[in-house]
């Protein structure tokens, strides 16, 4: 089968940072689906793993890719709820070979049937970010647990892949006022976020706390929740200042252990939450199947017209050349929405 991978961790400009490969087709395990991959998306995790993880033995390539849409071609003996021929979507497991290959074996419990109303490319933009956003909102912050009064949710880096789906999910919670951040709140970024459901957009290049205070003076409900999707250390003091007592802060970005003064949270009894969407699959948690169920729920919302794809651009067919281009765009950190590759070169 065709695949795109690498052996050495290299800058994306290097000729062998990503290369076209011919590999044996994987065999599905007892709980696995064997999926023929038709479309994939690129996420920040792809670029992070590429520069951190080299081939373990110098001979086995690293295959990235944690967003896929495809067709089930075989099923393991312990699989339930799927049949050969099903069109599915999923984000996969970071401990296993990824979706940058024509065929992939994936645990059926983290898979769902893809939305019928989306093309493969449109659907491939959503799984990883939808899981991350869902788990941030409903598992970590538990925004659904206290709907008895109006409160606000701040989403930093809201126009990116995770933010673009998180804003849509949050906007469906009637008690939440959604405040997104953008580098261009009065430009294209602001327009994008308002179209997704954000009621307010502020500038993350300026201090956040004064902007939130100004919104509250204008009648916006108190800030109970923050989802920090990027540059958490830069905004941390503003989060603490702006959050109401007993508020909640959830994060997904990477930084050093000395970059946050967590004791600063104590005065307001603020809680701190981490989200990694691979946790359930990495550790085979008791509730691993929750990921498949939430993807099924998101697919139903998409087909009902309640959630839209966050696809920004189809870069081209799946090949080393187009994946390099997508990685370079992702590394620019100015990408709005998601980059997708569809079909095989």
């Amino acid at each position: 089968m065709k695949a795109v991978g690498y052996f050495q961790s290299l800058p994306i400009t290097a000729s062998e940072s990503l290369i076209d490969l011919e590999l044996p087709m994987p065999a599905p395990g007892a709980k696995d689906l064997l999926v023929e991959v038709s479309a994939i998306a690129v996420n920040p995790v792809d670029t992070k793993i590429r520069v951190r993880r080299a081939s373990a033995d110098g001979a086995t390539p690293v295959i990235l890719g944690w967003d896929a849409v495809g067709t089930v071609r075989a099923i393991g003996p312990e699989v339930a709820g799927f049949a050969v021929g099903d069109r599915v979507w999923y984000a996969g497991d970071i401990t296993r070979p990824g979706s940058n290959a024509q065929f992939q074996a994936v645990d059926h419990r983290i898979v769902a049937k893809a939305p019928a109303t989306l093309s493969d490319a449109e659907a491939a933009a959503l799984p990883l970010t939808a899981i991350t956003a869902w788990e941030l909102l409903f598992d970590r912050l538990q925004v659904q647990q206290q709907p008895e009064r109006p409160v606000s949710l701040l989403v930093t880096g809201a126009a990116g892949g995770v933010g673009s789906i998180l804003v849509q999910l949050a906007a469906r919670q009637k008690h939440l006022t959604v405040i997104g951040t953008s580098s261009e709140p009065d430009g294209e970024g602001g327009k994008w976020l308002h179209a997704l459901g954000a009621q307010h957009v502020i500038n993350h290049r300026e201090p956040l706390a004064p902007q939130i205070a100004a919104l509250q003076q204008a009648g916006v409900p108190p800030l109970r929740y923050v989802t920090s999707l990027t540059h958490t250390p830069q905004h941390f003091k503003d989060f603490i200042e702006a959050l109401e007592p007993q508020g909640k802060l959830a994060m997904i970005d990477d930084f050093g252990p000395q970059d946050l003064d967590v004791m600063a949270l104590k005065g307001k009894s603020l809680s701190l939450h981490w989200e990694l969407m691979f946790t359930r699959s990495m550790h085979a948690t008791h509730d691993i199947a929750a990921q498949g169920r939430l993807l099924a729920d998101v697919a139903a919302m998409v087909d009902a017209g309640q959630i839209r794809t966050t696809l920004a651009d189809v870069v081209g067919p799946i090949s080393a050349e187009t994946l390099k281009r997508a990685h370079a765009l992702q590394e620019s950190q100015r990408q709005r929405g998601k980059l997708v590759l569809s079909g095989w070169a």
Side-chain angles (χ1 to χ4, degrees):
M1 68 174 183
K2 292 181 179 180
V4 178
Y6 67 92
F7 296 93
Q8 298 175 307
S9 292
L10 297 168
I12 198 59
T13 52
S15 62
E16 295 193 349
S17 59
L18 292 169
I19 56 178
D20 292 309
L21 300 165
E22 287 286 339
L23 299 177
M25 188 180 300
K31 290 183 170 63
D32 287 346
L33 306 174
L34 179 65
V35 177
E36 183 176 5
V37 175
S38 54
I40 61 172
V42 174
N43 294 282
V45 65
D46 295 80
T47 63
K48 292 175 183 177
I49 296 297
R50 197 196 75 246
V51 298
R52 296 176 186 173
R53 182 194 296 172
S55 169
D57 58 9
T60 304
V62 180
I63 307 298
L64 304 173
W66 292 284
D67 259 333
V69 173
T71 304
V72 176
R73 297 304 184 198
I75 60 175
E78 296 179 21
V79 169
F82 294 93
V84 171
D86 284 345
R87 180 171 172 265
V88 296
W89 67 343
Y90 54 90
D93 178 348
I94 202 169
T95 67
R96 302 181 70 177
S99 56
N100 296 349
Q102 279 186 304
F103 292 88
Q104 182 182 13
V106 59
D107 191 314
H108 76 287
R109 294 171 294 178
I110 58 173
V111 177
K113 293 174 184 176
T117 56
L118 296 184
S119 68
D120 289 351
E122 290 169 332
L126 289 174
L128 182 144
T129 53
I131 294 169
T132 302
W134 186 289
E135 291 183 350
L136 270 170
L137 286 173
F138 305 123
D139 294 339
R140 309 297 168 242
L141 295 179
Q142 298 185 334
V143 300
Q144 77 280 16
Q145 294 299 319
Q146 293 183 311
E148 69 277 2
R149 68 184 176 103
V151 292
S152 295
L153 163 75
L154 176 67
V155 187
T156 62
V162 173
S164 292
I165 185 66
L166 192 149
V167 166
Q168 295 184 74
L169 291 171
R172 293 180 50 78
Q173 300 291 308
K174 301 302 183 184
H175 66 297
L176 292 183
T177 293
V178 181
I179 306 168
T181 80
S182 171
S183 61
E184 43 181 11
D186 298 319
E188 292 303 313
K191 292 178 183 177
W192 172 263
L193 291 174
H194 283 302
L196 295 177
Q199 287 98 325
H200 305 277
V201 183
I202 60 177
N203 193 334
H204 55 224
R205 291 182 174 175
E206 299 176 3
L208 298 178
Q211 297 179 78
I212 294 167
L215 289 175
Q216 290 174 339
Q217 289 172 2
V220 171
L223 184 67
R224 180 166 183 79
Y225 306 107
V226 171
T227 53
S228 182
L229 308 182
T230 184
H231 296 98
T232 296
Q234 174 184 331
H235 302 303
F236 191 63
K237 290 182 180 179
D238 280 295
F239 295 154
I240 294 171
E241 181 180 343
L243 277 162
E244 70 172 1
Q246 303 180 97
K248 298 183 178 185
L249 165 62
M251 312 175 295
I252 65 169
D253 53 338
D254 299 334
F255 42 82
Q258 305 303 316
D259 289 337
L260 297 185
D261 176 15
V262 294
M263 282 301 296
L265 301 168
K266 186 175 181 179
K268 287 186 173 180
S269 294
L270 303 176
S271 59
L272 187 64
H273 306 261
W274 278 106
E275 162 59 19
L276 178 66
M277 58 85 34
F278 294 114
T279 295
R280 282 176 163 131
S281 56
M282 285 173 62
H283 299 284
T285 60
H286 70 283
D287 61 348
I288 185 173
Q291 285 198 346
R293 290 193 296 269
L294 77 83
L295 281 175
D297 287 343
V298 172
M301 290 180 186
V302 170
D303 287 338
Q306 298 167 347
I307 297 290
R308 64 186 249 191
T309 181
T310 55
L311 170 67
D313 188 28
V314 178
V315 185
I318 305 168
S319 70
E321 179 184 358
T322 49
L323 264 174
K324 283 181 184 179
R325 189 158 68 247
H327 275 232
L329 287 167
Q330 186 67 61
E331 288 176 347
S332 73
Q333 297 187 350
R334 294 187 60 82
Q335 179 61 39
R336 185 184 306 128
K338 292 291 290 292
L339 296 168
V340 169
L341 289 76
S342 185
W344 285 86

